[in-house]
PDB file of all heavy atoms in Angstrom:
ATOM      1  N   GLY A  20      -6.806 -15.894 -19.963  1.00  0.00           N
ATOM      2  CA  GLY A  20      -5.893 -15.209 -20.868  1.00  0.00           C
ATOM      3  C   GLY A  20      -5.112 -14.051 -20.293  1.00  0.00           C
ATOM      4  O   GLY A  20      -4.380 -13.371 -21.033  1.00  0.00           O
ATOM      5  N   LEU A  21      -5.247 -13.786 -18.989  1.00  0.00           N
ATOM      6  CA  LEU A  21      -4.465 -12.711 -18.394  1.00  0.00           C
ATOM      7  C   LEU A  21      -4.054 -13.101 -16.979  1.00  0.00           C
ATOM      8  O   LEU A  21      -4.584 -14.037 -16.380  1.00  0.00           O
ATOM      9  CB  LEU A  21      -5.256 -11.392 -18.374  1.00  0.00           C
ATOM     10  CG  LEU A  21      -6.610 -11.365 -17.631  1.00  0.00           C
ATOM     11  CD1 LEU A  21      -6.436 -11.136 -16.133  1.00  0.00           C
ATOM     12  CD2 LEU A  21      -7.500 -10.279 -18.214  1.00  0.00           C
ATOM     13  N   TRP A  22      -3.048 -12.382 -16.482  1.00  0.00           N
ATOM     14  CA  TRP A  22      -2.608 -12.581 -15.098  1.00  0.00           C
ATOM     15  C   TRP A  22      -3.269 -11.549 -14.199  1.00  0.00           C
ATOM     16  O   TRP A  22      -3.272 -10.355 -14.508  1.00  0.00           O
ATOM     17  CB  TRP A  22      -1.085 -12.432 -15.003  1.00  0.00           C
ATOM     18  CG  TRP A  22      -0.336 -13.527 -15.696  1.00  0.00           C
ATOM     19  CD1 TRP A  22       0.147 -13.516 -16.970  1.00  0.00           C
ATOM     20  CD2 TRP A  22       0.006 -14.798 -15.138  1.00  0.00           C
ATOM     21  NE1 TRP A  22       0.772 -14.698 -17.252  1.00  0.00           N
ATOM     22  CE2 TRP A  22       0.704 -15.515 -16.153  1.00  0.00           C
ATOM     23  CE3 TRP A  22      -0.201 -15.411 -13.901  1.00  0.00           C
ATOM     24  CZ2 TRP A  22       1.189 -16.796 -15.952  1.00  0.00           C
ATOM     25  CZ3 TRP A  22       0.278 -16.691 -13.704  1.00  0.00           C
ATOM     26  CH2 TRP A  22       0.963 -17.377 -14.716  1.00  0.00           C
ATOM     27  N   ARG A  23      -3.858 -12.018 -13.113  1.00  0.00           N
ATOM     28  CA  ARG A  23      -4.356 -11.124 -12.079  1.00  0.00           C
ATOM     29  C   ARG A  23      -3.248 -10.962 -11.044  1.00  0.00           C
ATOM     30  O   ARG A  23      -2.821 -11.937 -10.427  1.00  0.00           O
ATOM     31  CB  ARG A  23      -5.612 -11.700 -11.430  1.00  0.00           C
ATOM     32  CG  ARG A  23      -6.790 -11.812 -12.373  1.00  0.00           C
ATOM     33  CD  ARG A  23      -7.987 -12.454 -11.675  1.00  0.00           C
ATOM     34  NE  ARG A  23      -9.156 -12.478 -12.546  1.00  0.00           N
ATOM     35  CZ  ARG A  23     -10.313 -13.041 -12.222  1.00  0.00           C
ATOM     36  NH1 ARG A  23     -10.451 -13.637 -11.035  1.00  0.00           N
ATOM     37  NH2 ARG A  23     -11.332 -13.028 -13.064  1.00  0.00           N
ATOM     38  N   ILE A  24      -2.799  -9.741 -10.876  1.00  0.00           N
ATOM     39  CA  ILE A  24      -1.672  -9.465  -9.988  1.00  0.00           C
ATOM     40  C   ILE A  24      -2.161  -8.676  -8.777  1.00  0.00           C
ATOM     41  O   ILE A  24      -2.861  -7.672  -8.917  1.00  0.00           O
ATOM     42  CB  ILE A  24      -0.584  -8.637 -10.714  1.00  0.00           C
ATOM     43  CG1 ILE A  24      -0.193  -9.310 -12.033  1.00  0.00           C
ATOM     44  CG2 ILE A  24       0.633  -8.459  -9.810  1.00  0.00           C
ATOM     45  CD1 ILE A  24       0.437 -10.672 -11.878  1.00  0.00           C
ATOM     46  N   TRP A  25      -1.787  -9.161  -7.588  1.00  0.00           N
ATOM     47  CA  TRP A  25      -2.091  -8.437  -6.354  1.00  0.00           C
ATOM     48  C   TRP A  25      -0.785  -8.000  -5.696  1.00  0.00           C
ATOM     49  O   TRP A  25       0.183  -8.766  -5.646  1.00  0.00           O
ATOM     50  CB  TRP A  25      -2.879  -9.315  -5.381  1.00  0.00           C
ATOM     51  CG  TRP A  25      -4.296  -9.564  -5.821  1.00  0.00           C
ATOM     52  CD1 TRP A  25      -5.383  -8.786  -5.581  1.00  0.00           C
ATOM     53  CD2 TRP A  25      -4.783 -10.683  -6.569  1.00  0.00           C
ATOM     54  NE1 TRP A  25      -6.519  -9.339  -6.131  1.00  0.00           N
ATOM     55  CE2 TRP A  25      -6.180 -10.504  -6.742  1.00  0.00           C
ATOM     56  CE3 TRP A  25      -4.170 -11.818  -7.123  1.00  0.00           C
ATOM     57  CZ2 TRP A  25      -6.968 -11.415  -7.439  1.00  0.00           C
ATOM     58  CZ3 TRP A  25      -4.953 -12.725  -7.824  1.00  0.00           C
ATOM     59  CH2 TRP A  25      -6.340 -12.517  -7.967  1.00  0.00           C
ATOM     60  N   LEU A  26      -0.773  -6.747  -5.218  1.00  0.00           N
ATOM     61  CA  LEU A  26       0.411  -6.188  -4.580  1.00  0.00           C
ATOM     62  C   LEU A  26       0.020  -5.547  -3.256  1.00  0.00           C
ATOM     63  O   LEU A  26      -1.113  -5.081  -3.081  1.00  0.00           O
ATOM     64  CB  LEU A  26       1.081  -5.130  -5.476  1.00  0.00           C
ATOM     65  CG  LEU A  26       1.420  -5.511  -6.915  1.00  0.00           C
ATOM     66  CD1 LEU A  26       0.300  -5.080  -7.854  1.00  0.00           C
ATOM     67  CD2 LEU A  26       2.746  -4.875  -7.358  1.00  0.00           C
ATOM     68  N   THR A  27       0.971  -5.509  -2.339  1.00  0.00           N
ATOM     69  CA  THR A  27       0.748  -4.839  -1.063  1.00  0.00           C
ATOM     70  C   THR A  27       1.672  -3.633  -0.953  1.00  0.00           C
ATOM     71  O   THR A  27       2.784  -3.642  -1.479  1.00  0.00           O
ATOM     72  CB  THR A  27       1.001  -5.790   0.121  1.00  0.00           C
ATOM     73  OG1 THR A  27       0.800  -5.075   1.343  1.00  0.00           O
ATOM     74  CG2 THR A  27       2.429  -6.335   0.109  1.00  0.00           C
ATOM     75  N   SER A  28       1.172  -2.622  -0.266  1.00  0.00           N
ATOM     76  CA  SER A  28       1.996  -1.438  -0.005  1.00  0.00           C
ATOM     77  C   SER A  28       2.465  -1.426   1.448  1.00  0.00           C
ATOM     78  O   SER A  28       3.117  -0.476   1.876  1.00  0.00           O
ATOM     79  CB  SER A  28       1.185  -0.173  -0.297  1.00  0.00           C
ATOM     80  OG  SER A  28       0.031  -0.143   0.528  1.00  0.00           O
ATOM     81  N   GLY A  29       2.112  -2.462   2.196  1.00  0.00           N
ATOM     82  CA  GLY A  29       2.550  -2.559   3.585  1.00  0.00           C
ATOM     83  C   GLY A  29       1.542  -2.088   4.603  1.00  0.00           C
ATOM     84  O   GLY A  29       1.667  -2.387   5.793  1.00  0.00           O
ATOM     85  N   GLU A  30       0.531  -1.363   4.181  1.00  0.00           N
ATOM     86  CA  GLU A  30      -0.501  -0.865   5.095  1.00  0.00           C
ATOM     87  C   GLU A  30      -1.630  -1.892   5.205  1.00  0.00           C
ATOM     88  O   GLU A  30      -2.178  -2.336   4.189  1.00  0.00           O
ATOM     89  CB  GLU A  30      -1.064   0.458   4.564  1.00  0.00           C
ATOM     90  CG  GLU A  30      -2.223   1.033   5.356  1.00  0.00           C
ATOM     91  CD  GLU A  30      -1.819   1.595   6.707  1.00  0.00           C
ATOM     92  OE1 GLU A  30      -0.606   1.813   6.927  1.00  0.00           O
ATOM     93  OE2 GLU A  30      -2.717   1.819   7.539  1.00  0.00           O
ATOM     94  N   PRO A  31      -1.990  -2.321   6.419  1.00  0.00           N
ATOM     95  CA  PRO A  31      -3.082  -3.299   6.571  1.00  0.00           C
ATOM     96  C   PRO A  31      -4.360  -2.822   5.898  1.00  0.00           C
ATOM     97  O   PRO A  31      -4.774  -1.678   6.070  1.00  0.00           O
ATOM     98  CB  PRO A  31      -3.263  -3.405   8.085  1.00  0.00           C
ATOM     99  CG  PRO A  31      -1.938  -3.007   8.652  1.00  0.00           C
ATOM    100  CD  PRO A  31      -1.405  -1.952   7.726  1.00  0.00           C
ATOM    101  N   GLY A  32      -4.970  -3.705   5.110  1.00  0.00           N
ATOM    102  CA  GLY A  32      -6.205  -3.368   4.417  1.00  0.00           C
ATOM    103  C   GLY A  32      -5.995  -2.785   3.039  1.00  0.00           C
ATOM    104  O   GLY A  32      -6.897  -2.831   2.196  1.00  0.00           O
ATOM    105  N   ASP A  33      -4.813  -2.241   2.745  1.00  0.00           N
ATOM    106  CA  ASP A  33      -4.535  -1.690   1.421  1.00  0.00           C
ATOM    107  C   ASP A  33      -4.137  -2.810   0.460  1.00  0.00           C
ATOM    108  O   ASP A  33      -3.425  -3.746   0.841  1.00  0.00           O
ATOM    109  CB  ASP A  33      -3.411  -0.654   1.490  1.00  0.00           C
ATOM    110  CG  ASP A  33      -3.887   0.679   2.041  1.00  0.00           C
ATOM    111  OD1 ASP A  33      -5.057   0.756   2.452  1.00  0.00           O
ATOM    112  OD2 ASP A  33      -3.088   1.636   2.061  1.00  0.00           O
ATOM    113  N   LEU A  34      -4.588  -2.711  -0.779  1.00  0.00           N
ATOM    114  CA  LEU A  34      -4.309  -3.740  -1.772  1.00  0.00           C
ATOM    115  C   LEU A  34      -4.306  -3.113  -3.155  1.00  0.00           C
ATOM    116  O   LEU A  34      -5.193  -2.328  -3.500  1.00  0.00           O
ATOM    117  CB  LEU A  34      -5.390  -4.834  -1.718  1.00  0.00           C
ATOM    118  CG  LEU A  34      -5.215  -6.013  -2.670  1.00  0.00           C
ATOM    119  CD1 LEU A  34      -4.053  -6.890  -2.206  1.00  0.00           C
ATOM    120  CD2 LEU A  34      -6.496  -6.841  -2.738  1.00  0.00           C
ATOM    121  N   LEU A  35      -3.275  -3.453  -3.939  1.00  0.00           N
ATOM    122  CA  LEU A  35      -3.191  -3.023  -5.328  1.00  0.00           C
ATOM    123  C   LEU A  35      -3.551  -4.208  -6.217  1.00  0.00           C
ATOM    124  O   LEU A  35      -3.032  -5.305  -6.025  1.00  0.00           O
ATOM    125  CB  LEU A  35      -1.784  -2.517  -5.657  1.00  0.00           C
ATOM    126  CG  LEU A  35      -1.328  -1.287  -4.854  1.00  0.00           C
ATOM    127  CD1 LEU A  35       0.183  -1.198  -4.809  1.00  0.00           C
ATOM    128  CD2 LEU A  35      -1.908  -0.026  -5.458  1.00  0.00           C
ATOM    129  N   ASP A  36      -4.428  -3.988  -7.185  1.00  0.00           N
ATOM    130  CA  ASP A  36      -4.971  -5.069  -8.006  1.00  0.00           C
ATOM    131  C   ASP A  36      -4.918  -4.630  -9.466  1.00  0.00           C
ATOM    132  O   ASP A  36      -5.518  -3.610  -9.840  1.00  0.00           O
ATOM    133  CB  ASP A  36      -6.413  -5.345  -7.573  1.00  0.00           C
ATOM    134  CG  ASP A  36      -7.029  -6.545  -8.264  1.00  0.00           C
ATOM    135  OD1 ASP A  36      -6.514  -6.968  -9.318  1.00  0.00           O
ATOM    136  OD2 ASP A  36      -8.046  -7.060  -7.762  1.00  0.00           O
ATOM    137  N   CYS A  37      -4.206  -5.384 -10.306  1.00  0.00           N
ATOM    138  CA  CYS A  37      -4.110  -5.004 -11.709  1.00  0.00           C
ATOM    139  C   CYS A  37      -4.051  -6.232 -12.603  1.00  0.00           C
ATOM    140  O   CYS A  37      -3.821  -7.361 -12.141  1.00  0.00           O
ATOM    141  CB  CYS A  37      -2.892  -4.111 -11.965  1.00  0.00           C
ATOM    142  SG  CYS A  37      -1.299  -4.943 -11.788  1.00  0.00           S
ATOM    143  N   ASN A  38      -4.268  -6.019 -13.900  1.00  0.00           N
ATOM    144  CA  ASN A  38      -4.157  -7.078 -14.895  1.00  0.00           C
ATOM    145  C   ASN A  38      -2.809  -6.983 -15.595  1.00  0.00           C
ATOM    146  O   ASN A  38      -2.278  -5.889 -15.808  1.00  0.00           O
ATOM    147  CB  ASN A  38      -5.273  -6.949 -15.936  1.00  0.00           C
ATOM    148  CG  ASN A  38      -6.649  -7.132 -15.333  1.00  0.00           C
ATOM    149  OD1 ASN A  38      -6.819  -7.870 -14.362  1.00  0.00           O
ATOM    150  ND2 ASN A  38      -7.641  -6.474 -15.910  1.00  0.00           N
ATOM    151  N   TYR A  39      -2.269  -8.155 -15.969  1.00  0.00           N
ATOM    152  CA  TYR A  39      -0.978  -8.203 -16.665  1.00  0.00           C
ATOM    153  C   TYR A  39      -1.110  -9.199 -17.812  1.00  0.00           C
ATOM    154  O   TYR A  39      -1.606 -10.310 -17.618  1.00  0.00           O
ATOM    155  CB  TYR A  39       0.121  -8.633 -15.690  1.00  0.00           C
ATOM    156  CG  TYR A  39       1.488  -8.736 -16.311  1.00  0.00           C
ATOM    157  CD1 TYR A  39       2.184  -7.593 -16.701  1.00  0.00           C
ATOM    158  CD2 TYR A  39       2.086  -9.973 -16.506  1.00  0.00           C
ATOM    159  CE1 TYR A  39       3.439  -7.686 -17.267  1.00  0.00           C
ATOM    160  CE2 TYR A  39       3.348 -10.074 -17.074  1.00  0.00           C
ATOM    161  CZ  TYR A  39       4.021  -8.922 -17.460  1.00  0.00           C
ATOM    162  OH  TYR A  39       5.271  -9.021 -18.026  1.00  0.00           O
ATOM    163  N   TYR A  40      -0.666  -8.795 -19.005  1.00  0.00           N
ATOM    164  CA  TYR A  40      -0.921  -9.592 -20.206  1.00  0.00           C
ATOM    165  C   TYR A  40       0.323 -10.267 -20.765  1.00  0.00           C
ATOM    166  O   TYR A  40       0.294 -10.824 -21.860  1.00  0.00           O
ATOM    167  CB  TYR A  40      -1.557  -8.708 -21.285  1.00  0.00           C
ATOM    168  CG  TYR A  40      -2.920  -8.186 -20.887  1.00  0.00           C
ATOM    169  CD1 TYR A  40      -3.052  -6.961 -20.237  1.00  0.00           C
ATOM    170  CD2 TYR A  40      -4.067  -8.935 -21.139  1.00  0.00           C
ATOM    171  CE1 TYR A  40      -4.298  -6.493 -19.853  1.00  0.00           C
ATOM    172  CE2 TYR A  40      -5.319  -8.472 -20.758  1.00  0.00           C
ATOM    173  CZ  TYR A  40      -5.428  -7.251 -20.124  1.00  0.00           C
ATOM    174  OH  TYR A  40      -6.662  -6.784 -19.736  1.00  0.00           O
ATOM    175  N   GLY A  41       1.431 -10.263 -20.033  1.00  0.00           N
ATOM    176  CA  GLY A  41       2.635 -10.929 -20.499  1.00  0.00           C
ATOM    177  C   GLY A  41       2.532 -12.446 -20.396  1.00  0.00           C
ATOM    178  O   GLY A  41       1.618 -13.002 -19.791  1.00  0.00           O
ATOM    179  N   ASN A  42       3.494 -13.139 -20.990  1.00  0.00           N
ATOM    180  CA  ASN A  42       3.503 -14.610 -20.946  1.00  0.00           C
ATOM    181  C   ASN A  42       3.826 -15.135 -19.551  1.00  0.00           C
ATOM    182  O   ASN A  42       3.356 -16.199 -19.158  1.00  0.00           O
ATOM    183  CB  ASN A  42       4.517 -15.164 -21.947  1.00  0.00           C
ATOM    184  CG  ASN A  42       4.079 -14.948 -23.391  1.00  0.00           C
ATOM    185  OD1 ASN A  42       2.883 -14.931 -23.677  1.00  0.00           O
ATOM    186  ND2 ASN A  42       5.032 -14.748 -24.289  1.00  0.00           N
ATOM    187  N   HIS A  43       4.645 -14.386 -18.821  1.00  0.00           N
ATOM    188  CA  HIS A  43       5.041 -14.822 -17.481  1.00  0.00           C
ATOM    189  C   HIS A  43       4.799 -13.669 -16.500  1.00  0.00           C
ATOM    190  O   HIS A  43       5.118 -12.519 -16.784  1.00  0.00           O
ATOM    191  CB  HIS A  43       6.514 -15.225 -17.461  1.00  0.00           C
ATOM    192  CG  HIS A  43       6.837 -16.309 -18.441  1.00  0.00           C
ATOM    193  ND1 HIS A  43       6.472 -17.619 -18.262  1.00  0.00           N
ATOM    194  CD2 HIS A  43       7.469 -16.258 -19.644  1.00  0.00           C
ATOM    195  CE1 HIS A  43       6.871 -18.342 -19.288  1.00  0.00           C
ATOM    196  NE2 HIS A  43       7.489 -17.540 -20.145  1.00  0.00           N
ATOM    197  N   PRO A  44       4.252 -13.968 -15.344  1.00  0.00           N
ATOM    198  CA  PRO A  44       3.929 -12.901 -14.386  1.00  0.00           C
ATOM    199  C   PRO A  44       5.171 -12.426 -13.653  1.00  0.00           C
ATOM    200  O   PRO A  44       6.217 -13.099 -13.651  1.00  0.00           O
ATOM    201  CB  PRO A  44       2.979 -13.613 -13.415  1.00  0.00           C
ATOM    202  CG  PRO A  44       3.492 -15.020 -13.389  1.00  0.00           C
ATOM    203  CD  PRO A  44       3.920 -15.308 -14.804  1.00  0.00           C
ATOM    204  N   PRO A  45       5.095 -11.265 -13.021  1.00  0.00           N
ATOM    205  CA  PRO A  45       6.185 -10.851 -12.126  1.00  0.00           C
ATOM    206  C   PRO A  45       6.345 -11.875 -11.010  1.00  0.00           C
ATOM    207  O   PRO A  45       5.414 -12.623 -10.686  1.00  0.00           O
ATOM    208  CB  PRO A  45       5.695  -9.504 -11.587  1.00  0.00           C
ATOM    209  CG  PRO A  45       4.630  -9.048 -12.527  1.00  0.00           C
ATOM    210  CD  PRO A  45       4.004 -10.285 -13.061  1.00  0.00           C
ATOM    211  N   HIS A  46       7.518 -11.915 -10.399  1.00  0.00           N
ATOM    212  CA  HIS A  46       7.782 -12.863  -9.318  1.00  0.00           C
ATOM    213  C   HIS A  46       7.216 -12.339  -7.998  1.00  0.00           C
ATOM    214  O   HIS A  46       7.149 -11.124  -7.766  1.00  0.00           O
ATOM    215  CB  HIS A  46       9.296 -13.089  -9.164  1.00  0.00           C
ATOM    216  CG  HIS A  46       9.900 -13.780 -10.343  1.00  0.00           C
ATOM    217  ND1 HIS A  46      10.533 -13.088 -11.349  1.00  0.00           N
ATOM    218  CD2 HIS A  46       9.960 -15.090 -10.662  1.00  0.00           C
ATOM    219  CE1 HIS A  46      10.974 -13.947 -12.259  1.00  0.00           C
ATOM    220  NE2 HIS A  46      10.628 -15.170 -11.870  1.00  0.00           N
ATOM    221  N   ILE A  47       6.807 -13.268  -7.163  1.00  0.00           N
ATOM    222  CA  ILE A  47       6.378 -12.895  -5.824  1.00  0.00           C
ATOM    223  C   ILE A  47       7.546 -12.192  -5.117  1.00  0.00           C
ATOM    224  O   ILE A  47       8.683 -12.665  -5.141  1.00  0.00           O
ATOM    225  CB  ILE A  47       5.955 -14.139  -5.011  1.00  0.00           C
ATOM    226  CG1 ILE A  47       4.865 -14.910  -5.746  1.00  0.00           C
ATOM    227  CG2 ILE A  47       5.494 -13.729  -3.622  1.00  0.00           C
ATOM    228  CD1 ILE A  47       3.606 -14.137  -6.001  1.00  0.00           C
ATOM    229  N   GLY A  48       7.261 -11.056  -4.511  1.00  0.00           N
ATOM    230  CA  GLY A  48       8.296 -10.279  -3.843  1.00  0.00           C
ATOM    231  C   GLY A  48       8.870  -9.163  -4.703  1.00  0.00           C
ATOM    232  O   GLY A  48       9.583  -8.292  -4.178  1.00  0.00           O
ATOM    233  N   ASP A  49       8.580  -9.151  -6.022  1.00  0.00           N
ATOM    234  CA  ASP A  49       9.046  -8.068  -6.887  1.00  0.00           C
ATOM    235  C   ASP A  49       8.381  -6.753  -6.481  1.00  0.00           C
ATOM    236  O   ASP A  49       7.192  -6.713  -6.148  1.00  0.00           O
ATOM    237  CB  ASP A  49       8.705  -8.345  -8.347  1.00  0.00           C
ATOM    238  CG  ASP A  49       9.651  -9.344  -8.994  1.00  0.00           C
ATOM    239  OD1 ASP A  49      10.628  -9.748  -8.326  1.00  0.00           O
ATOM    240  OD2 ASP A  49       9.413  -9.722 -10.154  1.00  0.00           O
ATOM    241  N   SER A  50       9.150  -5.689  -6.534  1.00  0.00           N
ATOM    242  CA  SER A  50       8.613  -4.353  -6.295  1.00  0.00           C
ATOM    243  C   SER A  50       8.290  -3.724  -7.650  1.00  0.00           C
ATOM    244  O   SER A  50       9.154  -3.656  -8.532  1.00  0.00           O
ATOM    245  CB  SER A  50       9.627  -3.495  -5.531  1.00  0.00           C
ATOM    246  OG  SER A  50       9.100  -2.206  -5.280  1.00  0.00           O
ATOM    247  N   LEU A  51       7.055  -3.280  -7.831  1.00  0.00           N
ATOM    248  CA  LEU A  51       6.615  -2.750  -9.120  1.00  0.00           C
ATOM    249  C   LEU A  51       5.963  -1.382  -8.935  1.00  0.00           C
ATOM    250  O   LEU A  51       5.406  -1.075  -7.883  1.00  0.00           O
ATOM    251  CB  LEU A  51       5.596  -3.691  -9.769  1.00  0.00           C
ATOM    252  CG  LEU A  51       6.022  -5.141 -10.001  1.00  0.00           C
ATOM    253  CD1 LEU A  51       4.847  -5.944 -10.533  1.00  0.00           C
ATOM    254  CD2 LEU A  51       7.191  -5.199 -10.972  1.00  0.00           C
ATOM    255  N   ARG A  52       6.054  -0.590 -10.004  1.00  0.00           N
ATOM    256  CA  ARG A  52       5.369   0.699 -10.015  1.00  0.00           C
ATOM    257  C   ARG A  52       4.171   0.607 -10.962  1.00  0.00           C
ATOM    258  O   ARG A  52       4.189  -0.106 -11.958  1.00  0.00           O
ATOM    259  CB  ARG A  52       6.313   1.821 -10.435  1.00  0.00           C
ATOM    260  CG  ARG A  52       7.519   1.970  -9.502  1.00  0.00           C
ATOM    261  CD  ARG A  52       8.143   3.353  -9.636  1.00  0.00           C
ATOM    262  NE  ARG A  52       7.292   4.387  -9.059  1.00  0.00           N
ATOM    263  CZ  ARG A  52       7.330   4.755  -7.775  1.00  0.00           C
ATOM    264  NH1 ARG A  52       8.175   4.169  -6.924  1.00  0.00           N
ATOM    265  NH2 ARG A  52       6.538   5.724  -7.343  1.00  0.00           N
ATOM    266  N   LEU A  53       3.117   1.357 -10.621  1.00  0.00           N
ATOM    267  CA  LEU A  53       1.888   1.314 -11.395  1.00  0.00           C
ATOM    268  C   LEU A  53       1.355   2.712 -11.659  1.00  0.00           C
ATOM    269  O   LEU A  53       1.564   3.627 -10.864  1.00  0.00           O
ATOM    270  CB  LEU A  53       0.809   0.503 -10.667  1.00  0.00           C
ATOM    271  CG  LEU A  53       1.158  -0.941 -10.320  1.00  0.00           C
ATOM    272  CD1 LEU A  53       1.570  -1.036  -8.851  1.00  0.00           C
ATOM    273  CD2 LEU A  53      -0.013  -1.855 -10.592  1.00  0.00           C
TER     274      LEU A  53
END
Protein backbone atom coordinates (compact mmCIF):
# COMPACT_ATOMS: atom_id res chain seq x y z
CA GLY A 1 0.00 0.00 0.00
CA LEU A 2 2.92 2.43 -0.14
CA TRP A 3 5.90 3.30 -2.30
CA ARG A 4 9.37 2.76 -0.90
CA ILE A 5 11.56 5.47 -2.39
CA TRP A 6 15.35 5.43 -2.40
CA LEU A 7 17.42 8.49 -3.30
CA THR A 8 21.12 9.20 -3.64
CA SER A 9 22.96 12.36 -2.71
CA GLY A 10 26.01 11.41 -4.77
CA GLU A 11 28.24 10.38 -1.87
CA PRO A 12 29.23 6.67 -1.89
CA GLY A 13 27.49 4.82 0.93
CA ASP A 14 24.93 7.59 1.55
CA LEU A 15 21.28 6.70 0.95
CA LEU A 16 17.98 8.48 1.52
CA ASP A 17 15.03 6.17 2.26
CA CYS A 18 11.43 7.32 2.65
CA ASN A 19 7.81 6.23 2.23
CA TYR A 20 5.47 7.80 -0.34
CA TYR A 21 1.70 7.33 -0.31
CA GLY A 22 0.67 8.79 -3.67
CA ASN A 23 -0.89 6.76 -6.49
CA HIS A 24 2.20 7.15 -8.67
CA PRO A 25 5.81 7.36 -7.48
CA PRO A 26 8.30 10.05 -8.45
CA HIS A 27 10.25 9.26 -11.63
CA ILE A 28 13.72 7.80 -11.54
CA GLY A 29 16.14 10.71 -11.84
CA ASP A 30 13.79 13.25 -10.20
CA SER A 31 15.44 15.58 -7.71
CA LEU A 32 13.41 15.80 -4.49
CA ARG A 33 13.66 17.60 -1.18
CA LEU A 34 12.88 15.90 2.12
